[in-house]
Amino acid sequence: MSVSSRRRRRHSGATRRTQEERRSRTQARLLEATMECLVDLGWSGTSTTEVARRAGVSRGAQQHHYPTKMILVAAALEHLLEAQRLAYETAFAVLPKERRNVTGALDLLWEVFRGRPAKALMELAVAARTDEELRPLCVDLNERILQTIAETFEKLFPANTLPPDFTDTLLRGLFAMFVGLSIQNALDDDSGGHQAAVLRQVKEIARLIVPEPGGPAPAARGDDGDGTAPPQQASAASAADAP
């Protein structure tokens, strides 16, 4: 192979990488702009024209990457779910060692639910109730978020020995509660401190049933396997019920 041929191949490869980088940057701007539109303008106020304007790209470039509003929103939804998962795991990993526990995990989860990406997802979920075109895109949104929460819980607390069906129900209840709290928070920013009070109670309960990372795991069942609480759990429950 001649020297000129090798140079052409190197130049071609560099050009492709540069084009791919530009493509990725443009798509990222469009997806972030979509999220901002959903939060600021709602589903009905979000348009591809406004998204392109906020992203700083031409309408032609927007249509090249995402030809329709639904394709754009579908891509933004995937982007939001993955970005939130990565951001959560990263934030947990850099917490001080003493906060890398269930309390720290719940504090971070509450931050996620109050953030703009979560508000964009909430906007889609609410709008899908009455929008026949949007509903198929969001019909499994709750389950997908719950799956992410469950996978993250298993990763952060591998010593957990709670029965799988109990863990699933527990996380579903936690998710439903945080959704409700986040709606309240969006309206009053917890001016009365009620959401913070609920979160404190939840953390107190969670500390009784979720093991500390690196610490001994609480037994999930009694010694005789009948599902009754072992002595240490019964003592904890009695202490929690005491005035």
Side-chain angles (χ1 to χ4, degrees):
M1 180 185 297
S2 67
V3 173
S4 60
S5 296
R6 288 197 296 271
R7 286 177 178 171
R8 283 196 298 272
R9 287 197 174 187
R10 284 199 297 269
H11 178 72
S12 176
T15 300
R16 282 195 297 271
R17 286 194 297 274
T18 301
Q19 291 173 340
E20 182 60 32
E21 290 168 359
R22 285 200 298 266
R23 178 175 179 271
S24 296
R25 286 195 297 267
T26 299
Q27 289 179 337
R29 290 202 302 269
L30 286 166
L31 299 179
E32 286 296 314
T34 303
M35 182 268 289
E36 295 293 339
C37 280
L38 287 169
V39 175
D40 296 338
L41 306 175
W43 167 250
S44 61
T46 296
S47 67
T48 53
T49 300
E50 177 61 16
V51 168
R53 187 190 70 79
R54 291 190 179 210
V57 305
S58 67
R59 284 278 287 123
Q62 174 264 304
Q63 290 177 328
H64 171 73
H65 292 286
Y66 305 107
T68 69
K69 179 180 177 179
M70 290 306 301
I71 292 175
L72 175 62
V73 171
L77 189 153
E78 297 297 327
H79 172 74
L80 287 170
L81 290 173
E82 180 61 13
Q84 285 199 290
R85 182 186 67 80
L86 290 174
Y88 183 89
E89 291 181 0
T90 301
F92 186 88
V94 300
L95 283 175
K97 185 177 180 180
E98 65 274 12
R99 291 201 61 225
R100 259 176 267 149
N101 51 30
V102 68
T103 298
L106 287 172
D107 283 335
L108 282 180
L109 188 62
W110 181 228
E111 289 182 21
V112 167
F113 270 83
R114 288 183 297 166
R116 289 178 71 80
K119 289 177 181 177
L121 291 173
M122 184 73 68
E123 173 65 23
L124 290 175
V126 172
R129 185 182 69 86
T130 56
D131 191 299
E132 294 295 334
E133 186 180 11
L134 181 61
R135 188 179 302 167
L137 180 65
C138 299
V139 69
D140 65 343
L141 182 57
N142 287 340
E143 289 301 315
R144 295 184 63 187
I145 295 174
L146 276 165
Q147 181 180 358
T148 300
I149 292 174
E151 291 172 353
T152 303
F153 177 80
E154 291 296 330
K155 185 180 297 184
L156 298 184
F157 302 101
N160 166 57
T161 58
L162 296 172
D165 57 341
F166 177 79
T167 301
D168 179 72
T169 302
L170 184 70
L171 293 178
R172 286 179 182 277
L174 182 69
F175 173 62
M177 184 190 68
F178 270 49
V179 167
L181 289 175
S182 66
I183 293 175
Q184 294 175 7
N185 189 265
L187 295 174
D188 63 13
D189 198 27
D190 200 15
S191 57
H194 303 301
Q195 296 138 38
V198 171
L199 186 60
R200 283 195 298 271
Q201 290 286 346
V202 170
K203 289 190 290 187
E204 288 296 326
I205 296 170
R207 275 195 287 263
L208 296 175
I209 58 178
V210 179
E212 296 285 323
R221 302 175 66 85
D223 289 339
D224 56 1
D226 62 358
T228 57
Q232 64 268 32
Q233 287 189 353
S235 299
S238 298
D241 290 336

